[in-house]
Amino acid sequence: MTLKGKAASVEFRGVTKAFGEVVAVNEVSFLIEAGELITFLGPSGCGKTTTLRMVAGLEMPTAGQIFIGETEVTNLPATDRDVSMVFQSYALFPHMTVAENVAYGLVVGGTDKKSARQTAEEGIRLVGLEGYGQRMPSELSGGQQQRVAVARALVLEPQVLLFDEPLSNLDAKLRRRMREEIRDLQQNLGLTVVYVTHDQSEALAVSDRIVVMKNAVIAQVGSPHDLYERPIDTFVADFIGDANLVGAEITRIENGEAVVRMDGIETRRPHQGLRPGPVHVAIRPEAILLSEKTGNGGLEGQVTKAVYLGSHLEYSVACSLGELFVIDHNFDKPVKRGAEVSITFADRGVNLVRQES
Amino acid sequence: MTRTGFPAKKLLRVLTVLPIITPPFVISLAIILLFGRSGAVTTSIEFVTGFSPGRWIYGLPGVWFAQMLSFTPIAFLIMIGVVRGVSPAMEEASQTLRADRWKTFTTVTLPLIRPGLANAFLIGFIEGMADFGNPLVLGGDFEVLSTSIFYAIVGAQNDQARAAVLALVLLCFTLSAFFVQRKWLGRKSYTTVTGKGDSGIHPHLPRRLKWLVYSTALPWAALTFVIYAMIMFGGFVKLWGYDHSFTLMHYIEAFGIEWGPQGIIWSGAAWNSFSTTIMIAAISAPLTAGVGLLTAYVLVRQRFGGKDAFEFGTMLSFAIPGTVIGVSYILAFNVPPIELTGTGAILVLCFIFRNMPVGVRAGIASMSQIDRSLDESSLTLGANSFTTLRKVVLPLLRPAIVAALTFSFVRAMTAISAVIFLVSARYDMATSYIIGRVENGDYGLAISYSSTLILVMLSVILLVQYTVGERKIGRRGLAMDQKRPAMEASPV
Ligand SMILES: Nc1ncnc2c1ncn2[C@@H]1O[C@H](COP(=O)(O)OP(=O)(O)O)[C@@H](O)[C@H]1O
Ligand SMILES: [Mg+2]
């Protein structure tokens, strides 16, 4: 037999969770499609874990409704939900072998011993741990423990599989590999996965879509590409990738484009639903182009810092917009510290964004 | 109990700390006041039914009852550590794996706390074997090993050889319990709190279990409460069971002060033993703490072989009953060249060696957290070694110092089993004095003296807590807190 997911969708409708005075999650709504890997991304304390635990049934919402598939599960406890979770600390049972850990969910669920063992073996093989079944968790490395935790969750063929910062206890190299393995498993088995992290590069790497959270609410939902290319506000622009945030003003909307004045320079950008008035421009560091000073007007500045980083060069440039952070992949014409430069912007990577609320 | 979301949890904890600073035989005294021939419960039963229950409480049932009440707090303190040590993520993981509360409890929680249970059981066993106070007060004709040893030395027989043999038997029992415990726990101990990661919540217990827990904990708490009420009020009653009028008679008899021509006369009968006790405790506490912490410093900072052996030794010393220690001190120091029996020195010496291991453990625990580079950096900043010790190491060690000080103080005030062999008319200790009074049936004085002792220790502890802000206090509490890491984490 082979393992597969019975992937189902997850929906939150106006879900709020308060711990006494603290509102951890505030009227959040979203829909996760079946078979999708969605990441909850945000700074520490923004309510990601709480959201995840509500999907698992480890916390009950204060208000709102939760659906898994077609079924409302709002007040269903964890035991009765078809959801498995991989804990940040892995939470392997230290008194059971790897095989017993993996088979645990099946055994307590009443599966007969023999087929539970077979399924467990299958799960262990799936995460690449054949031959480790009789070890105790304490005899495994961090990465191996992580795999056991994944296998233990997988063998139940859950409708939804949850990960809470699964890589935070691993070193950088292993982190990269594990996140790829998790993504491969998810795609091969067609699982619905909800994944929590505070690391934006991890989120960009594994997700179909990302939910960016901030202060108990959702800041923006979108594919990694959407979020990077069209951040909605200064918070998202700054949190996903780097961005230089510059104050500006939309003078008018013309042919579906906003005409923006940025300290005397005028550019045209997609208006993103914004109206004339003050606005921020988020400029990606690699969207800033430096060239030899021409002297015929335009934005000019002086390089105050130049750092060689092997794969690219980093500059700090002082200009009338403030101090700009620049990344340059062009090694042919390195600019020296103190040099006077002309500054232009690429078409991509310069976006109008709202002031974060 | 840490799991039940029970509102009076705090009160329950206070009730469990109280027995820790209570001299061991006081529980028996209160039980006599309740169930003895003229005890409150006995007389009311007699009044209602016209039938006198008699002296059933003296002997096996009474000793059993008293021991149970005396040692529950210890078990409680051990179990608190163990139950807290189980990461909530374990139980949550089990729940997300479709196990209901009952399954979670039986397949995850229980196996994880089983070593702790065994630990509590064995410690209770060792303490129960070694304890001396309760059987002496309540035993009647019923002798246990420790009281037999006592009578062999103190009684008419004065048969030291017999005492030594009995002591050896007792030692065998407790040591075997100790080794069983180590062997068993060596293989099966899990600390699951990793420090990093999930901070979930412990799920509540399955319902049936919850009721079981409540129905044991609540009566127990009530009983403890009643017992302490007895102790506190018993001292103000003229003659328990016969004349319940209020009196300060016993307190005056014990702690009376008179003004004579030469100034104050300490006329109370208890002053002698009381001042000796305070003096001995006050002398031995700093010495114990000092020796203990210095030893710890040597052990942590200077690496040498035999460290493990020492660790083992300190653990072992917990398993040696005080009675055995008492007998061995008598045998060792009764004859030249060192004749110490009957002096205060032997008491101090006994306390230092008996209680030092706690100082050592407390010291090791906090010193291993102080990185060596910290005092090195202070050294490179031009401070000499002494300044380093005073300015850097000492402040960081303060909790350990407080722990060691309070522990040895309280222990010196409440110890009975070793001490009773070592006291003399000149150097009598409070506990042995009280026991003597109890044997003469002078309960009023015994009770009032005991409650004074409890209050003195309580105020000393509160004072220390107030001035230093250290929260972990208590005779066993400290011992357990220090022992716990070794018992749980390392294969001891
Ligand atoms: N059990 C709890 N009791 C009280 N407050 C909590 C509890 N769990 C979380 N919180 C609070 O809710 C907020 C969101 O927490 P969490 O969801 O863990 O954030 P994140 O995982 O994004 O770091 C935080 O302010 C946290 O202090
Ligand atoms: Mg979190």
Side-chain angles (χ1 to χ4, degrees):
Chain A
M1 74 168 266
T2 45
L3 287 167
K4 52 186 181 308
K6 296 174 294 187
S9 60
V10 178
E11 187 177 4
F12 272 43
R13 289 190 198 155
V15 172
T16 296
K17 175 69 189 181
F19 297 103
E21 294 285 290
V22 184
V23 179
V25 173
N26 195 1
E27 285 198 43
V28 162
S29 301
F30 56 80
L31 173 67
I32 302 171
E33 306 282 356
E36 188 179 33
L37 193 158
I38 205 157
T39 302
F40 282 79
L41 174 66
S44 179
C46 69
K48 310 177 296 282
T49 297
T50 307
T51 308
L52 197 75
R53 288 168 60 84
M54 283 194 287
V55 179
L58 294 170
E59 305 282 2
M60 298 303 160
T62 317
Q65 291 174 296
I66 301 175
F67 294 84
I68 293 179
E70 301 296 304
T71 325
E72 174 166 1
V73 297
T74 312
N75 289 309
L76 210 59
T79 310
D80 304 324
R81 292 193 194 185
D82 200 359
V83 170
S84 305
M85 180 156 168
V86 175
F87 288 78
Q88 193 172 2
S89 59
Y90 316 139
L92 299 180
F93 305 129
H95 56 297
M96 300 180 192
T97 63
V98 167
E100 284 165 347
N101 262 284
V102 176
Y104 181 82
L106 298 164
V107 173
V108 299
T111 313
D112 71 276
K113 276 239 165 71
K114 191 155 161 267
S115 64
R117 207 178 54 227
Q118 279 173 356
T119 316
E121 259 165 35
E122 165 84 13
I124 293 173
R125 193 186 54 71
L126 211 55
V127 296
L129 280 182
E130 289 125 311
Y132 286 86
Q134 293 318 307
R135 297 248 192 134
M136 298 306 277
S138 56
E139 300 166 331
L140 300 179
S141 71
Q144 289 169 333
Q145 292 184 19
Q146 163 92 75
R147 284 166 217 243
V148 177
V150 173
R152 185 176 70 177
L154 269 181
V155 293
L156 291 177
E157 304 184 353
Q159 290 179 302
V160 187
L161 185 53
L162 309 175
F163 290 88
D164 189 1
E165 312 233 358
L167 309 182
S168 59
N169 288 337
L170 302 177
D171 61 62
K173 264 237 172 71
L174 203 52
R175 227 179 273 175
R176 221 191 171 83
R177 202 165 104 209
M178 285 310 295
R179 81 185 185 202
E180 278 159 17
E181 284 183 19
I182 290 174
R183 178 63 161 161
D184 284 348
L185 267 178
Q186 181 263 335
Q187 289 185 323
N188 294 340
L189 303 179
L191 305 168
T192 306
V193 168
V194 186
Y195 190 106
V196 159
T197 179
H198 62 266
D199 179 345
Q200 51 102 10
S201 62
E202 194 175 311
L204 291 173
V206 298
S207 315
D208 290 311
R209 283 193 301 151
I210 299 174
V211 177
V212 183
M213 286 189 75
K214 187 203 161 202
N215 291 342
V217 297
I218 293 178
Q220 189 175 2
V221 183
S223 67
H225 182 266
D226 285 346
L227 293 182
Y228 193 83
E229 297 293 335
R230 285 186 291 281
I232 192 168
D233 64 11
T234 49
F235 173 76
V236 178
D238 198 37
F239 199 80
I240 310 242
D242 283 307
N244 295 286
L245 295 170
V246 174
E249 185 170 357
I250 301 178
T251 49
R252 58 187 189 282
I253 307 286
E254 226 175 58
N255 308 331
E257 285 199 317
V259 180
V260 186
R261 285 192 75 78
M262 199 164 41
D263 191 56
I265 314 161
E266 209 172 72
T267 55
R268 286 160 179 271
R269 295 287 150 185
H271 65 77
Q272 308 270 44
L274 293 163
R275 299 175 178 284
V279 74
H280 285 270
V281 184
I283 310 167
R284 297 288 176 201
E286 58 276 9
I288 302 175
L289 311 172
L290 305 180
S291 56
E292 242 169 82
K293 189 172 169 180
T294 52
N296 51 9
L299 190 60
E300 291 177 350
Q302 188 178 29
V303 176
T304 57
K305 220 184 274 171
V307 182
Y308 174 79
L309 282 172
S311 62
H312 62 271
L313 296 152
E314 284 182 10
Y315 300 112
S316 274
V317 182
C319 68
S320 56
L321 298 177
E323 188 92 8
L324 295 180
F325 172 61
V326 180
I327 290 177
D328 191 353
H329 291 278
N330 182 0
F331 287 95
D332 296 339
K333 284 183 269 171
V335 186
K336 287 212 161 43
R337 199 166 80 103
E340 304 275 336
V341 287
S342 279
I343 302 168
T344 50
F345 299 113
D347 282 341
R348 274 187 67 208
V350 180
N351 293 291
L352 302 183
V353 293
R354 266 173 236 169
Q355 172 67 42
E356 66 182 275
S357 42
Chain B
M1 277 178 254
T2 35
R3 289 292 170 76
T4 45
F6 176 53
K9 244 192 253 178
K10 244 198 188 130
L11 184 71
L12 208 62
R13 280 218 78 171
V14 173
L15 282 180
T16 57
V17 171
L18 216 47
I20 284 160
I21 56 161
T22 308
F25 46 79
V26 168
I27 301 278
S28 319
L29 282 181
I31 289 176
I32 289 181
L33 293 190
L34 278 174
F35 302 106
R37 256 175 309 173
S38 45
V41 174
T42 313
T43 43
S44 39
I45 289 180
E46 205 173 335
F47 180 77
V48 172
T49 63
F51 154 80
S52 167
R55 7 184 321 122
W56 66 276
I57 196 72
Y58 298 93
L60 184 58
V63 174
W64 175 79
F65 192 48
Q67 300 291 54
M68 198 181 69
L69 281 172
S70 308
F71 300 127
T72 331
I74 300 167
F76 177 76
L77 286 167
I78 298 176
M79 288 314 295
I80 267 195
V82 174
V83 173
R84 293 238 172 93
V86 175
S87 161
M90 284 301 152
E91 291 158 321
E92 288 185 348
S94 164
Q95 287 187 308
T96 61
L97 295 167
R98 328 269 156 84
D100 59 23
R101 283 182 186 185
W102 182 250
K103 278 250 169 62
T104 301
F105 181 78
T106 52
T107 57
V108 175
T109 318
L110 200 58
L112 288 177
I113 62 174
R114 195 148 41 200
L117 276 174
N119 212 348
F121 181 78
L122 282 164
I123 297 241
F125 178 77
I126 291 177
E127 297 272 339
M129 284 292 286
D131 181 64
F132 178 82
N134 288 328
L136 201 60
V137 176
L138 274 177
D141 299 332
F142 175 73
E143 274 189 29
V144 297
L145 262 179
S146 52
T147 49
S148 300
I149 296 173
F150 175 67
Y151 290 128
I153 289 209
V154 182
Q157 330 167 8
N158 193 5
D159 185 350
Q160 292 197 351
R162 178 175 144 81
V165 171
L166 288 175
L168 215 60
V169 173
L170 182 56
L171 190 63
C172 281
F173 269 108
T174 54
L175 283 187
S176 352
F178 175 70
F179 281 109
V180 166
Q181 175 203 32
R182 283 175 64 94
K183 214 166 159 57
W184 205 60
L185 293 183
R187 274 180 292 121
K188 297 189 169 185
S189 78
Y190 324 100
T191 349
T192 62
V193 172
T194 51
K196 219 176 181 186
D198 316 290
S199 54
I201 28 178
H202 288 296
H204 281 182
L205 287 174
R207 192 152 295 135
R208 334 173 209 183
L209 211 63
K210 200 157 155 174
W211 287 116
L212 183 71
V213 168
Y214 276 157
S215 59
T216 28
L218 290 181
W220 179 76
L223 198 60
T224 310
F225 184 78
V226 169
I227 281 191
Y228 277 87
M230 290 323 259
I231 297 168
M232 286 301 146
F233 295 123
F236 294 104
V237 166
K238 220 168 219 165
L239 188 54
W240 192 269
Y242 300 102
D243 184 355
H244 286 170
S245 52
F246 176 83
T247 177
L248 286 176
M249 184 177 93
H250 304 303
Y251 280 92
I252 290 171
E253 193 189 341
F255 296 105
I257 298 173
E258 282 168 28
W259 276 266
Q262 266 88 43
I264 300 177
I265 300 173
W266 306 90
S267 62
W271 281 120
N272 175 31
S273 59
F274 186 72
S275 58
T276 309
T277 303
I278 295 278
M279 187 183 77
I280 300 267
I283 293 177
S284 57
L287 283 176
T288 310
V291 173
L293 292 182
L294 267 181
T295 316
Y297 187 77
V298 171
L299 284 179
V300 172
R301 283 299 134 99
Q302 331 287 335
R303 298 174 195 287
F304 67 89
K307 199 157 148 178
D308 291 342
F310 183 86
E311 283 257 315
F312 177 76
T314 63
M315 292 294 300
L316 192 64
S317 77
F318 286 107
I320 301 179
T323 326
V324 174
I325 303 240
V327 170
S328 58
Y329 269 66
I330 288 198
L331 296 182
F333 298 121
N334 218 1
V335 285
I338 322 169
E339 265 185 274
L340 287 177
T341 318
T343 65
I346 198 171
L347 291 169
V348 173
L349 214 65
C350 172
F351 284 136
I352 292 180
F353 282 101
R354 185 121 179 87
N355 301 333
M356 186 187 74
V358 171
V360 177
R361 298 209 77 91
I364 286 181
S366 51
M367 269 185 240
S368 359
Q369 283 161 19
I370 304 173
D371 197 37
R372 194 188 289 249
S373 63
L374 200 63
D375 40 286
E376 275 167 7
S377 72
S378 165
L379 278 172
T380 55
L381 290 173
N384 63 29
S385 300
F386 180 71
T387 324
T388 307
L389 195 69
R390 192 165 56 86
K391 286 255 169 74
V392 179
V393 180
L394 271 188
L396 292 169
L397 277 185
R398 204 156 60 175
I401 296 174
V402 173
L405 271 179
T406 9
F407 175 81
S408 32
F409 187 80
V410 168
R411 268 304 266 264
M413 299 267 295
T414 59
I416 175 78
S417 39
V419 167
I420 202 153
F421 298 100
L422 304 176
V423 294
S424 55
R426 167 91 186 71
Y427 291 99
D428 201 0
M429 296 287 282
T431 45
S432 63
Y433 178 81
I434 297 175
I435 285 275
R437 283 311 174 116
V438 171
E439 292 199 305
N440 290 337
D442 196 353
Y443 295 130
L445 191 127
I447 286 279
S448 44
Y449 198 166
S450 301
S451 37
T452 312
L453 278 185
I454 293 177
L455 287 181
V456 166
M457 279 182 285
L458 206 59
S459 33
V460 165
I461 286 175
L462 287 179
L463 193 77
V464 169
Q465 215 180 57
Y466 180 73
T467 45
V468 191
E470 166 62 41
R471 311 201 112 251
K472 294 178 198 156
I473 296 292
R475 186 164 63 143
R476 299 290 170 193
L478 291 168
M480 292 310 146
D481 280 352
Q482 303 315 326
K483 274 199 259 180
R484 199 188 295 139
M487 285 183 171
E488 283 176 9
S490 66
V492 273

